[in-house]
Amino acid sequence: MPASVLVGTQWGDEGKGKVTDLISGDFDVVCRYAGGANAGHTVIAGGHKLALHQVPSGVMYKGVYPVIGNGCIVDPEVLLNEMDMLEKQGISCEDLKISGNAHIVMPYHKDLDGAHEKKLGKNLIGTTKRGVGPCYMDKMNRTGLRMQDMLDGHIFREKLEAALAYTNPILEKVYGLPTYTVDQICETYLPYAERLKPYIIESSRFLNDQLDAGKNILFEGAQATMLDIDHGTYPFVTSSNCTAGGAVTGSGVGPTRISRVLGVAKAYLTRVGSGPFPTELFDETGDKLGEVGHEYGVTTGRKRRCGWYDSVVVNYAARVNGLTDLAITKLDVLGCLDEIKVCVAYECGGKTYHTVPEHQSVFYHAKPVYETLPGWKCDISNVRNFYQLPREAKDYIDFLEQLAGVRISIITVGPDREQTINRYWN
Ligand code: GDP
Ligand code: IMO
Ligand code: MG
């Protein structure tokens, strides 16, 4: 298994952090390939509960290199705070590597993110306000600053001057916001640069050298398939390619070196922010899932919208990511319900859809078609073997497997590393 990708199959927060941490011990490198501090990955192991935004979840293992790939964006303030937090907990970041081509989140990106959302009014995207959209805009516009610019203070100043010449009029004239001077930003960013310099490398080369030496790499996805800029519910998406293809462009490792793609899906469904969500629940069952599943955002603390598992979405994720395996998380949470619904198709305008409709208006008006399964009404958080699950839980997993057309290799039954059933992942 030279390189594997782990990817969210829904709208994020599927438990990617937990599953990454769970399997990281089998890898030599864990590399994030897209997104920035908008991600919030929870890892609970060895008495530590960590919320990671920038550092790959493989950091918990000694001997595993955590890498921030070129497809990521880096908020130096968030990253340095996270590194300090990890060091305080006795988790070393000395092996962290950051791609020199990863773009830097600047203070004005965060200002623009907030101001743009305000301007959108009721049509807002509900972003994490971490400056993600504006930073990727600058990347595509070729007006961004990259981590390698931090290696030389003169270059950093020069590039910042050009960036501000473009951005200040937008801040002022479009959004009525205060502008920035080069000195103002350098005052905080050059000290960040001093601290981050030792970690900045040519990461494509590092990753390929590792593979050449027979080492294994796990690409840890952030966000998810339905938040992907190309394949998600545009415009209610993030600004990067979170799908498995992003692991190639976001790391500089060729597709021929990737042999497994593990999709992570929650046993029900959640979404944060705006946008369509056909199986969303507005009743006490939705509230119960939110309560029992502690569905509050790791990055923003927002209450997550909750709904039934949507097999049309996961089946679509299987297609666009080329999934070889699936991990179903939070199965324990469903133990609170008498019966469980699964969306198997949509109906819209008298037509039945078995895949995500291409036209967004159809998706907006899609009504879910449900199959109802009996619940198991008990605590399964101590189960470690598939055959020890109650029959109803096994039937539920078999049904999801059949609908996804992908084998379910991992099932998680609690937030701790140990609360896991490994069926086929090795
Ligand atoms: P990520 O963004 O995909 O890494 O997911 P988050 O960390 O944002 O959200 C997942 C939440 O579910 C976290 O609070 C995890 O600790 C928790 N979690 C993960 N797996 C399980 C599980 O199997 N059962 C329960 N009850 N909680 C879980
Ligand atoms: P993890 O990695 C859930 C959502 C935001 C918003 C949209 C755009 O923890 O699964 P952005 O700040 O990226 O411009 O926001 O995407 N979003 C997430 N939702 N989990 C995430 O990350 C998310 N990252 C972004 O809520 O709807
Ligand atoms: Mg999250």
Side-chain angles (χ1 to χ4, degrees), residues 197-254:
K197 260 181 195 171
Y199 303 95
I200 301 171
I201 61 155
E202 211 279 53
S203 59
S204 163
R205 186 161 167 191
F206 173 79
L207 294 167
N208 282 284
D209 284 351
Q210 290 286 314
L211 289 170
D212 291 344
K215 309 283 183 185
N216 298 323
I217 298 176
L218 176 65
F219 291 107
E220 176 189 5
Q223 289 75 54
T225 304
M226 299 307 273
L227 290 172
D228 182 278
I229 187 79
D230 283 287
H231 302 290
T233 46
Y234 190 90
F236 301 104
V237 292
T238 190
S239 300
S240 63
N241 282 117
C242 350
T243 42
V248 173
T249 52
S251 72
V253 168

Side-chain angles (χ1 to χ4, degrees), residues 166-192:
Y166 169 78
T167 307
N168 273 339
I170 300 175
L171 286 167
E172 192 176 9
K173 299 205 169 82
V174 179
Y175 295 104
L177 290 171
T179 55
Y180 287 90
T181 62
V182 171
D183 284 343
Q184 209 179 344
I185 294 181
C186 282
E187 202 177 309
T188 42
Y189 272 58
L190 289 182
Y192 293 155

